[in-house]
Amino acid sequence: MPTQRANHRPPTRPGTIGVPARRTHIPGKERMDDIVVAAAAASPSPWSLLQGLLALLVVWGAYRAAERYWLRPRRLDRALRAQGLSGTEYRFPAGDLQENARLNDEARSRPMPQCHDVVPRIMPHLFDTVKEHGNVCITWFGPIPRVIITEAELVRDILSNKFGHFEKFTNKRLGKLLALGLASHDGEKWAKHRRILNPAFHLEKLKRMLPAFSTCCTELIDHWENKLAGSDGSYEVDIWPEFQNLTGDVISRTAFGSSFMEGRRIFQLQAEQAERIIKAFQYMYIPGFLFLPTQNNRRMKEINGEIEGILRGMIEKRERAIENGEASGNDLLGLLLQSNMDSGKGSLRMSTEDMIEECKLFYFAGMETTSVLLTWTLVILGMHPEWQDRAREEVLRVFGKDDKPNLDSLSRLKTVTMILYEVLRLYPPAVTLNRRTFKDMQIGGITYPAGVILELPIIVVHHNPDVWGTDAHEFKPERFAEGISKATKDDQPAFFPFGWGPRICIGQNFALLEAKMALSMILQRFEFQLSPSYTHAPYTVITLHPQHGAPIIVKKI
Ligand code: HEM
């Protein structure tokens, strides 16, 4: 976004993290500009002028394509390799995308044993490249170099950077169809949105949302109890769709309060949209592919139009109500509107369009990730019944059999918290984070030129035996017994399921409270084991899904 960048980019001189650096100079571009101007001045008649201009346009287009797909990749590759980095060779025009897809297909064609050494299945291309070329190595996202960085300290340094020297790497056009908002903004726009959104996620505001969490969990429990009532004492259920519905309902209620049913419609549309976006993602390297009138592209635009229409209606209705003196409410939308109004006038506020994007993001960021966490937690507690028993003992000790969990009691759950952390370590819902350099930056002794993607695969950091010990692939919640900072070998921070630094997940308390509430209410009433039909097959569809679902067998206790 050029206008935002202009606002937050510091003046230019060479730099390390936190020190401004020189912009990359493109000599060929100026030469071409001179040729265009000189040729235009020399052409006498309008017709030949037009022909000349057309020819120049073709040359200019060819030059731009050569620059994008050949010259720049070569230039950046040389700059990185000259500093001792190695990695895969650039392959015109798709880089490693095809090989990546091939290895993913191969890995996904078979399940894996029930163990937690999951990285080779989840990211086979990345795993092989790191094994061959080391902890910091080059791969290619189409014509763009993507340097993989798996060292915890460097990951932390990059994520901690407060100066916006690393941008988010997002496709704005594709993002607009799903959700832009806070997660994809940079610079001043990000700072303004984060300031306005922060109050809605404070713990004392979340406390008021607990009844909504509890209502949704009770519906799920009642549903399972009804199924059990008509059975021989056990009920097989695929928890993956169940938890997607649960977290979708939670976000619909907590975001939109009384407009819950409209919220549900958005949630259904967003789910369809996410599937279609993943389809479209395979063609990312074809410029302008989103403009092609394919059936998928048309439907995506239609869905986006419907979602934005519903949200606009809700926002405008709520704004009118607040202007007429009604309370803004305890839901996320009400808190967001109030905070927006309190933030001042004019450009200090977010526009309705901005607000629509933030609401879309609540669904995408908040629903999918939390359902992934809950699903893997139950799967793993099915694999490790001794920890399921320990967690249940704690829940029954703290709440008894019937009490509804509240904020105080939830914060007393130590074993449950350790279990959730260990699941987030082994199966982080967001397996990898990306940033992009927009100017020369030095990290770990390497100067990265502008235009390089830095891939930070947090799942690889979470499974590194040098950081976590030789038992890194084992499920051992006790490693978190003395808190996160003491869980690693040298007490070095290397636990990033919610990111790190200024852009750390704004909804992490929301997610952990929701997960603790759901898990506690399930443990209070049921015991469960993995169904014999369960196949262990974690794979990524943006977040970390169970490829063949997650069937478990539930019994009443
Ligand atoms: C287990 C659940 C969750 C996980 C694992 C998770 C993970 C993450 C991660 C890793 C980031 C950082 C992305 C980056 O630095 O590039 C992030 C950012 C974000 N998350 Fe979450 N998240 C979860 C739940 C939620 C919930 C419940 C919400 C809201 C209702 C939410 C809203 C956001 C937003 C708005 C951002 C962008 C923050 C910014 O850029 O300033 N997340 N999340």
Side-chain angles (χ1 to χ4, degrees):
M1 284 201 199
T3 48
Q4 293 148 32
R5 280 183 202 153
N7 285 341
H8 80 275
R9 282 176 178 183
T12 57
R13 71 182 164 80
T16 57
I17 287 186
V19 182
R22 196 183 318 132
R23 284 291 301 267
T24 309
H25 174 67
I26 310 169
K29 181 178 178 300
E30 281 161 18
R31 257 202 320 276
M32 285 305 294
D33 290 344
D34 291 346
I35 296 169
V36 173
V37 171
S43 305
S45 82
W47 176 236
S48 54
L49 179 68
L50 190 66
Q51 277 182 322
L53 279 177
L54 276 177
L56 275 172
L57 270 180
V58 171
V59 174
W60 177 241
Y63 168 75
R64 289 282 302 270
E67 168 66 15
R68 182 182 158 97
Y69 288 101
W70 192 250
L71 301 174
R72 188 171 53 185
R74 294 277 146 211
R75 210 167 43 238
L76 294 176
D77 189 51
R78 273 197 304 275
L80 294 170
R81 286 179 200 269
Q83 302 179 74
L85 288 188
S86 68
T88 58
E89 296 292 331
Y90 170 57
R91 269 171 288 190
F92 170 85
D96 291 320
L97 288 176
Q98 274 159 351
E99 181 60 2
N100 192 34
R102 191 185 69 74
L103 290 176
N104 278 344
D105 286 349
E106 202 177 289
R108 289 167 191 186
S109 65
R110 47 183 189 269
M112 60 174 285
Q114 284 192 12
C115 73
H116 308 304
D117 186 5
V118 290
V119 177
R121 183 178 206 275
I122 293 170
M123 307 179 106
H125 183 263
L126 185 143
F127 180 78
D128 290 351
T129 315
V130 171
K131 206 158 85 182
E132 191 180 340
H133 298 284
N135 284 341
V136 179
C137 57
I138 309 165
T139 61
W140 293 90
F141 182 75
I144 310 174
R146 175 156 64 178
V147 176
I148 299 167
I149 297 182
T150 62
E151 286 177 14
E153 208 182 321
L154 299 181
V155 170
R156 218 169 47 232
D157 284 352
I158 294 165
L159 293 178
S160 302
N161 186 257
K162 294 189 186 66
F163 304 97
H165 289 167
F166 304 106
E167 309 174 309
K168 292 299 277 281
F169 175 62
T170 43
N171 180 324
K172 296 276 192 272
R173 210 162 278 138
L174 205 57
K176 173 82 182 102
L177 292 173
L178 196 59
L180 286 174
L182 191 65
S184 54
H185 296 320
D186 283 302
E188 287 183 2
K189 184 156 186 174
W190 169 79
K192 173 171 123 183
H193 282 221
R194 181 97 194 192
R195 184 172 37 79
I196 295 172
L197 280 160
N198 265 340
F201 289 91
H202 282 167
L203 215 51
E204 110 268 352
K205 301 281 175 28
L206 295 181
K207 198 172 171 178
R208 298 187 218 156
M209 294 176 199
L210 283 181
F213 289 5
S214 161
T215 305
C216 299
C217 295
T218 304
E219 275 177 20
L220 176 87
I221 304 277
D222 289 350
H223 172 61
W224 288 5
E225 282 186 336
N226 287 340
K227 290 284 180 186
L228 273 167
S231 75
D232 60 354
S234 68
Y235 164 53
E236 177 161 335
V237 55
D238 184 353
I239 47 172
W240 171 231
E242 295 279 300
F243 284 148
Q244 283 182 303
N245 281 333
L246 171 71
T247 55
D249 279 357
V250 166
I251 204 78
S252 300
R253 267 185 205 279
T254 49
F256 304 116
S258 56
S259 313
F260 167 57
M261 289 315 287
E262 286 154 297
R264 241 191 196 164
R265 173 71 188 143
I266 299 175
F267 154 51
Q268 286 160 354
L269 289 165
Q270 287 276 82
E272 184 186 341
Q273 191 76 325
E275 270 175 36
R276 290 181 178 275
I277 297 262
I278 288 153
K279 255 196 226 167
F281 212 74
Q282 304 165 31
Y283 304 102
M284 281 275 294
Y285 61 93
I286 303 174
F289 82 97
L290 272 180
F291 294 113
L292 299 177
T294 62
Q295 196 248 342
N296 199 41
N297 285 351
R298 277 203 305 270
R299 178 68 188 139
M300 285 200 295
K301 282 179 191 131
E302 215 172 271
I303 292 175
N304 192 41
E306 185 175 345
I307 293 176
E308 293 194 0
I310 301 174
L311 285 170
R312 191 184 309 279
M314 282 202 266
I315 291 169
E316 287 170 359
K317 189 166 142 201
R318 201 71 87 80
E319 274 173 343
R320 278 196 301 276
I322 297 176
E323 274 159 20
N324 291 337
E326 288 177 33
S328 54
N330 286 330
D331 54 18
L332 284 174
L333 179 60
L335 294 166
L336 182 58
L337 285 169
Q338 192 60 58
S339 176
N340 198 32
M341 288 179 173
D342 295 346
S343 69
K345 289 213 179 311
S347 65
L348 292 172
R349 284 190 187 182
M350 292 198 291
S351 64
T352 304
E353 298 307 315
D354 286 342
M355 214 109 62
I356 290 174
E357 292 304 327
E358 295 303 345
C359 292
K360 278 159 69 181
L361 181 63
F362 288 160
Y363 272 96
F364 187 64
M367 174 229 137
E368 180 86 359
T369 44
T370 316
S371 61
V372 167
L373 168 61
L374 277 168
T375 300
W376 289 118
T377 304
L378 262 69
V379 165
I380 291 171
L381 289 181
M383 289 180 191
H384 300 272
E386 70 287 5
W387 279 102
Q388 187 184 146
D389 293 343
R390 284 176 69 169
R392 184 174 299 103
E393 269 163 38
E394 180 181 65
V395 166
L396 294 177
R397 195 173 61 246
V398 175
F399 310 124
K401 195 125 179 35
D402 297 313
D403 279 6
K404 287 244 161 69
N406 58 40
L407 190 62
D408 288 343
S409 51
L410 286 174
S411 51
R412 274 188 278 136
L413 294 174
K414 193 173 170 200
T415 306
V416 167
T417 308
M418 280 157 43
I419 289 172
L420 289 174
Y421 284 167
E422 184 67 341
V423 174
L424 284 167
R425 181 182 74 82
L426 291 167
Y427 297 81
V431 295
T432 189
L433 304 177
N434 282 301
R435 294 291 188 271
R436 181 161 52 177
T437 54
F438 70 80
K439 62 179 184 179
D440 294 3
M441 282 303 298
Q442 206 183 71
I443 311 146
I446 305 276
T447 302
Y448 293 89
V452 175
I453 301 172
L454 305 176
E455 169 149 24
L456 316 172
I458 53 183
I459 191 166
V460 177
V461 179
H462 285 182
H463 281 257
N464 185 348
D466 294 340
V467 176
W468 299 91
T470 47
D471 57 3
H473 303 311
E474 287 170 40
F475 179 69
K476 286 192 157 179
E478 65 267 34
R479 70 177 90 238
F480 287 103
E482 288 177 45
I484 291 172
S485 59
K486 299 270 177 223
T488 51
K489 261 173 44 178
D490 313 320
D491 298 350
Q492 54 166 319
F495 182 63
F496 309 124
F498 295 104
W500 191 262
R503 303 203 69 142
I504 197 162
C505 176
I506 202 169
Q508 62 171 312
N509 286 329
F510 183 113
L512 285 173
L513 277 178
E514 180 182 353
K516 281 184 195 175
M517 168 86 80
L519 185 58
S520 302
M521 289 176 72
I522 290 169
L523 287 166
Q524 263 180 324
R525 288 164 185 83
F526 308 104
E527 59 181 23
F528 49 86
Q529 65 195 66
L530 284 177
S531 156
S533 67
Y534 173 74
T535 37
H536 196 44
Y539 82 134
T540 47
V541 188
I542 304 183
T543 54
L544 189 57
H545 294 193
Q547 190 180 345
H548 306 297
I552 62 164
I553 295 174
V554 183
K555 288 187 188 142
K556 193 106 184 68
I557 53 168

